[in-house]
Amino acid sequence: NFVLMPWKEEFTYEVEGALPAGLALDPQGYLAGTPEAGSAGTYNVILRVTGPGGTASRSLRIVVGN
């Protein structure tokens, strides 16, 4: 499991790659939403958080069914 936990404003969160339509990573680090109709498929993204101690990233595969 990989959870981006929002802690303080000094952290920045970003996603590399395309998320399914209807999902978004907000400025506080939450990946949330509901995939939209017609967005079925597999999405490979990298989630990244940067803070005072450096940068950490993790690959994530999101599978959206019909």
Side-chain angles (χ1 to χ4, degrees):
N1 293 339
F2 182 71
V3 178
L4 294 178
M5 299 286 295
W7 299 103
K8 297 180 181 179
E9 292 180 17
E10 66 224 27
F11 288 90
T12 58
Y13 305 90
E14 59 187 324
V15 62
E16 180 181 320
L19 290 171
L23 290 184
L25 182 66
D26 73 14
Q28 291 78 37
Y30 290 103
L31 179 62
T34 302
E36 295 178 4
S39 63
T42 301
Y43 300 80
N44 294 299
V45 298
I46 297 172
L47 301 176
R48 186 173 293 114
V49 60
T50 302
T55 300
S57 61
R58 180 76 181 249
S59 298
L60 176 66
R61 176 178 289 177
I62 301 170
V63 178
V64 179
N66 292 325

